[in-house]
Amino acid sequence: MSQEIAVKAESISKVYKLYNSRRSFVKEALSLTRKKYHKDFYALKNISFSVKKGEMLGIIGQNGSGKSTLLKILASIVTPTTGKHFTRGTTRALIELQGGFDESLTGIENVKFLGILQGYTRKEMEKRMPQILEFAEIGDYAYQPVKNYSSGMNVRLAFSIAIHVDPEILIVDEALAVGDIRFQQKCYRRINELKNEGKTIVLCTHGLDTVKEFCDRAIWLHNGEIKETGDPAYVTDLYRAFMVSQETITKKAITEKSEKIIETLLKNENTAGNLDQVDWFDISSCKSYGNGSFSIKTCSLLNRETNESIRVIRGGEKVRILLYVTQHKKIDTLGISILLGSHLGSPIFKINSHAHQQQIAFELDTPSIVSVDFTFPHLGNGQYTMSMGAIHYGLDGEQIDYWVHDAVIINVDNPEFKYKLEAPLVLDEVKMTIQKLNI
Amino acid sequence: MKLYKLLKDSNGNLKSRGRIMKALVIRDFETRYLSSFLGLPWAIIQPAMFILVIWFAFTYGLRSHVLNSGVPYAPWLVVAYMPWMFMSQTLILSSTAIEEYSYLIKKTNFPISMIPVIKIFSGLVIHLLLIVLIMIILIFSFHIYPTVYWFQIFYYLFAMTVLLIGLTWFISSVNVFLHDMAHIVNIVVTMLFWATPIFWPYHTLTGNLKYIALLNPFFYITEGYRYTFVEKTWFFEFTEMNILFWSFTSLMFVFGAFVFKKLEPGVADQI
């Protein structure tokens, strides 16, 4: 790998002026005074980095963290408010799924048109056409207007053009997520080939495994700033941990309100241990609904043996879930329900105080902490979400009084499961034998 | 050695720029006219119909209305109306031109300043076809034969392009931020049509109004077409007119370029 720098960003910032209305925009444009009629929104704050020739950089971060804006700046589509950047070599960018297609033109016409915009002649593009179409695998759709394409076909063609016009620098923005698994794999193989050919690649994706596997370096953007940069494995792990715990609110916020309860909890035999170590999840931003008779303010997940908060579960641990709840209206037979769902939302298991014949009595308008103890089952590695709420049984069966969707994200990561199992449940003991048949 | 490299580089760049421009003009022309079933004829039919109506009305209906200069009214009107049609259409179309190309601006590093120029050139294609058509009509139905003055058309095409580039840079970039621009342009164009001596002769104006008309750059062009095709006058015969037009046009060009450069960095964020 040569030491020549291919992409460089020097203290780039991007400020978007947010106006309340069009009127305030005009007012500011026409006003002679320096009065501001807008709010500044920093999409990027003082970003500096450089990518060496032949290096592959992965950019990760939450939605709205500034990834796309950064890539658009690198591709010279958007002008940064302050700061400088340069790219050395021909650059091809694939931004937000589409490669700048004219919807009314056919796929082939678009390929030619975009090729010419990139500085190729019509003849050169015609020579590349078979390769481009072969890679895109869109068949006869190449002769159809792009407006009739599915989003997958759109990406296939756009990506195919991008890699066949010999860019020295390729900028790819989450585009591949739309393609099916086969195409994605093909693209990554191709990206890897390009990398081996010495091309510089800047990739922005939510696929952390991709970053881990292909990239030489990773940058984690958070609220427009570089939160971490360096070895992809290291950065993605930090990011993953961050995403799981989101923003944990300190125990302080709780204890101020309910010091007494925590104190009694501490004294209580069942919950004995150091509750100082407990991190509480901020679930205020989670989607919740209810009839006002019950509320869950926060919750926590701990290992019952060590009494420490956990984010990553191997399976088989004795865990405890703490719920900070208040009942506001009198309802008989009120119980707690917890649902663990896969990352796609399908239920894996459910805990229900009625079904498990656990009686808990709440005191009206008195905050209390409910602790739910159980042994976490062995599940396939991946992300799971935990939803929780309060239910009671009325005449029509189960009634939900309060429910928080996806309050906690749980990462199940057991290094012993080397291969990914597509099913959620992992069996404890599986033995296989083989017997030769003498026929 | 270094200089040679520089020359080669810039040359290559210029070449590909030209190629891009050509492709874009063709593309713009296609979307404007060739998307319909009949295609290109539509581009000609509309203005041709207008010219035909004028010709019919003034040749047969209103009985050869002849101006002081001895030129029949119909060809006199048509040759001035032709550049007006091109200029007004270009101004109106260019006001929303940048938005039209948002699919390229938002996804590729596209030279935005080219867009208004594309609009001018793609309109110019039709305009040139019309000029040829008018020449044929002039020769065969009005018996106005080519003179050396006809070569002036190249000068007026150039003047018109410079004027339009400045104006469209200004209009198109402002419209990205203030959509009111397109409406304003529509109204101003309609007003200018009646304010410019196109349908009526310039000499009907009296006093200060004459000077106001001279300030109108569109008048310079429409009148210039008359000089070229029917009035046998050289463009340099009226010094005052030239000074006024070229000062306005060069100022507009600089101003348009200034406004465009100022607004360009924000365009991709706004559309």
Side-chain angles (χ1 to χ4, degrees):
Chain A
M1 195 186 294
S2 88
Q3 291 302 299
E4 200 186 323
I5 283 167
V7 182
K8 194 174 174 78
E10 273 175 64
S11 52
I12 283 180
S13 293
K14 178 74 191 174
V15 185
Y16 284 106
K17 291 179 179 175
L18 302 181
Y19 293 94
N20 290 329
S21 64
R22 265 207 118 66
R23 185 174 295 172
S24 47
F25 168 73
V26 178
K27 257 192 204 163
E28 185 173 290
L30 297 178
S31 93
L32 298 170
T33 55
R34 297 230 161 238
K35 198 182 165 195
K36 271 188 186 176
Y37 287 92
H38 67 262
K39 267 187 241 156
D40 280 342
F41 170 73
Y42 275 84
L44 291 174
K45 269 180 250 169
N46 203 16
I47 303 282
S48 300
F49 64 89
S50 60
V51 188
K52 290 188 202 96
K53 194 166 175 281
E55 200 179 19
M56 183 157 166
L57 174 75
I59 298 175
I60 53 174
Q62 284 167 286
N63 293 134
S65 57
K67 301 186 298 285
S68 292
T69 310
L70 181 59
L71 291 197
K72 278 184 183 170
I73 287 175
L74 293 182
S76 306
I77 295 169
V78 164
T79 323
T81 313
T82 55
K84 277 187 286 185
H85 70 98
F86 73 79
T87 47
R88 197 170 284 157
T90 53
T91 308
R92 177 78 191 145
L94 207 58
I95 303 286
E96 285 166 3
L97 312 182
Q98 281 149 8
F101 290 140
D102 184 335
E103 297 268 284
S104 59
L105 288 180
T106 68
I108 286 187
E109 284 168 335
N110 261 308
V111 171
K112 282 186 201 161
F113 183 54
L114 285 170
I116 290 166
L117 289 191
Q118 296 293 313
Y120 291 91
T121 61
R122 203 164 274 270
K123 261 192 196 143
E124 281 172 319
M125 282 320 284
E126 263 155 28
K127 222 163 61 189
R128 281 160 211 264
M129 190 67 75
Q131 286 169 286
I132 293 175
L133 295 182
E134 196 198 311
F135 190 91
E137 293 176 55
I138 53 170
D140 286 341
Y141 271 94
Y143 304 96
Q144 292 291 316
V146 170
K147 62 182 169 211
N148 296 344
Y149 282 24
S150 71
S151 48
M153 288 186 221
N154 216 315
V155 169
R156 278 160 177 261
L157 192 61
F159 184 78
S160 189
I161 296 171
I163 57 168
H164 282 103
V165 292
D166 291 332
E168 281 162 47
I169 299 162
L170 185 65
I171 296 174
V172 186
D173 177 17
E174 313 186 40
L176 301 177
V178 188
D180 57 38
I181 193 86
R182 260 189 59 246
F183 188 71
Q184 273 188 35
Q185 305 253 329
K186 193 167 138 183
C187 289
Y188 285 123
R189 268 203 309 276
R190 184 78 187 115
I191 284 180
N192 220 18
E193 277 171 36
L194 287 172
K195 193 182 136 193
N196 293 337
E197 286 167 23
K199 313 271 161 126
T200 313
I201 299 160
V202 180
L203 179 78
C204 153
T205 177
H206 287 291
L208 298 182
D209 295 330
T210 313
V211 175
K212 227 174 180 170
E213 191 160 337
F214 293 107
C215 294
D216 301 308
R217 212 149 49 85
I219 285 178
W220 169 16
L221 279 184
H222 184 64
N223 291 339
E225 287 173 289
I226 295 182
K227 189 139 180 162
E228 202 64 57
T229 171
D231 178 54
Y234 167 71
V235 176
T236 50
D237 281 354
L238 279 180
Y239 174 67
R240 192 171 271 148
F242 171 82
M243 282 308 279
V244 170
S245 58
Q246 268 292 346
E247 275 152 57
T248 48
I249 50 170
T250 52
K251 58 189 187 319
K252 229 179 173 182
I254 293 297
T255 46
E256 271 169 14
K257 283 189 232 159
S258 55
E259 235 164 78
K260 262 187 194 165
I261 295 150
I262 296 281
E263 263 171 38
T264 42
L265 270 169
L266 286 170
K267 278 176 208 156
N268 196 306
E269 204 184 326
N270 284 331
T271 52
N274 194 1
L275 271 175
D276 284 348
Q277 298 299 316
V278 176
D279 288 331
W280 295 88
F281 296 114
D282 180 8
I283 61 168
S284 57
S285 58
C286 297
K287 213 175 169 200
S288 64
Y289 65 93
N291 52 19
S293 54
F294 195 84
S295 65
I296 300 177
K297 285 269 149 43
T298 175
C299 63
S300 176
L301 175 71
L302 13 152
N303 186 319
R304 209 157 72 226
E305 279 152 350
T306 61
N307 248 325
E308 275 169 15
S309 291
I310 43 173
R311 309 267 170 278
V312 181
I313 291 181
R314 286 168 63 105
E317 291 112 320
K318 292 188 165 127
V319 295
R320 166 173 295 160
I321 294 168
L322 297 178
L323 305 176
Y324 179 84
V325 302
T326 315
Q327 189 177 357
H328 306 292
K329 279 184 205 154
K330 179 117 182 90
I331 294 173
D332 289 331
T333 69
L334 195 73
I336 295 289
S337 176
I338 294 171
L339 173 74
L340 189 91
S342 75
H343 74 289
L344 295 174
S346 50
I348 308 289
F349 67 74
K350 201 167 179 179
I351 298 170
N352 179 326
S353 47
H354 296 283
H356 293 97
Q357 286 159 15
Q358 300 292 312
Q359 301 252 325
I360 34 175
F362 300 98
E363 228 174 282
L364 269 186
D365 291 321
T366 313
S368 32
I369 287 182
V370 177
S371 79
V372 182
D373 295 358
F374 63 98
T375 305
F376 204 88
H378 285 287
L379 298 179
N381 291 345
Q383 279 192 341
Y384 298 85
T385 64
M386 201 175 264
S387 307
M388 51 196 63
I391 52 163
H392 76 271
Y393 280 88
L395 294 171
D396 310 325
E398 192 183 288
Q399 302 281 316
I400 293 173
D401 295 298
Y402 186 76
W403 195 258
V404 194
H405 282 292
D406 307 326
V408 184
I409 300 168
I410 293 171
N411 239 13
V412 173
D413 188 13
N414 191 337
E416 281 164 33
F417 307 141
K418 215 173 158 188
Y419 300 99
K420 201 170 180 180
L421 295 167
E422 296 303 328
L425 206 61
V426 177
L427 301 178
D428 279 340
E429 280 177 38
V430 176
K431 235 179 213 164
M432 290 194 192
T433 52
I434 183 161
Q435 219 173 352
K436 237 190 229 167
L437 293 176
N438 295 315
I439 301 170
Chain B
M1 189 63 199
K2 250 186 182 170
L3 191 75
Y4 166 72
K5 254 189 184 169
L6 205 78
L7 279 172
K8 197 180 147 201
D9 255 339
S10 67
N11 194 25
N13 266 339
L14 219 68
K15 237 185 180 170
S16 81
R17 262 269 156 120
R19 218 168 30 224
I20 293 171
M21 193 77 195
K22 199 177 123 198
L24 284 167
V25 169
I26 292 171
R27 179 73 210 105
D28 192 81
F29 189 76
E30 281 173 354
T31 37
R32 247 159 99 173
Y33 299 111
L34 303 188
S35 50
S36 51
F37 174 69
L38 206 52
L40 188 64
W42 280 125
I44 303 289
I45 286 173
Q46 192 208 339
M49 274 312 285
F50 177 82
I51 290 163
L52 222 77
V53 168
I54 296 281
W55 172 73
F56 188 82
F58 289 101
T59 315
Y60 296 105
L62 299 172
R63 284 286 156 202
S64 61
H65 188 109
V66 178
L67 292 152
N68 295 345
S69 51
V71 181
Y73 185 67
W76 179 85
L77 170 61
V78 164
V79 292
Y81 186 70
M82 184 171 54
W84 169 258
M85 206 157 47
F86 166 58
M87 289 188 289
S88 59
Q89 263 180 16
T90 304
L91 290 180
I92 290 167
L93 284 173
S94 72
S95 60
T96 51
I98 294 181
E99 284 94 329
E100 199 182 306
Y101 281 89
S102 65
Y103 69 94
L104 280 176
I105 297 169
K106 292 190 98 158
K107 311 286 175 190
T108 59
N109 54 347
F110 184 75
I112 305 171
S113 60
M114 271 176 152
I115 293 171
V117 187
I118 293 163
K119 284 283 166 204
I120 295 170
F121 282 171
S122 81
L124 210 53
V125 177
I126 290 297
H127 184 62
L128 291 175
L129 283 174
L130 267 183
I131 288 177
V132 174
L133 186 77
I134 295 287
M135 283 176 175
I136 294 169
I137 292 177
L138 285 181
I139 295 167
F140 291 102
S141 46
F142 294 105
H143 307 288
I144 296 171
Y145 296 106
T147 58
V148 67
Y149 293 96
W150 283 28
F151 283 106
Q152 276 187 105
I153 190 67
F154 296 109
Y155 165 75
Y156 282 111
L157 284 174
F158 169 74
M160 194 157 56
T161 308
V162 178
L163 172 69
L164 285 176
I165 288 178
L167 281 169
T168 52
W169 268 341
F170 172 71
I171 292 169
S172 61
S173 59
V174 170
N175 192 61
V176 172
F177 298 90
L178 266 184
H179 292 303
D180 311 48
M181 196 60 179
H183 299 287
I184 295 170
V185 168
N186 260 306
I187 291 169
V188 170
V189 163
T190 315
M191 273 165 42
L192 271 174
F193 174 66
W194 297 106
T196 309
I198 298 171
F199 260 93
W200 42 275
Y202 167 67
H203 56 72
T204 53
L205 286 174
T206 50
N208 287 336
L209 284 176
K210 271 194 168 175
Y211 286 95
I212 294 172
L214 281 181
L215 277 171
N216 178 351
F218 300 105
F219 171 64
Y220 181 84
I221 304 288
T222 55
E223 202 66 4
Y225 269 60
R226 280 180 182 147
Y227 295 161
T228 305
F229 288 112
V230 295
E231 288 179 354
K232 291 181 190 152
T233 313
W234 289 111
F235 71 89
F236 46 75
E237 283 179 34
F238 306 97
T239 324
E240 212 177 10
M241 208 173 168
N242 280 306
I243 292 172
L244 282 170
F245 173 79
W246 281 109
S247 11
F248 177 87
T249 301
S250 45
L251 272 175
M252 192 64 225
F253 191 87
V254 172
F255 178 68
F258 173 77
V259 171
F260 197 93
K261 273 279 154 245
K262 198 96 181 140
L263 295 177
E264 193 183 12
V267 167
D269 300 332
Q270 191 67 28
I271 55 171

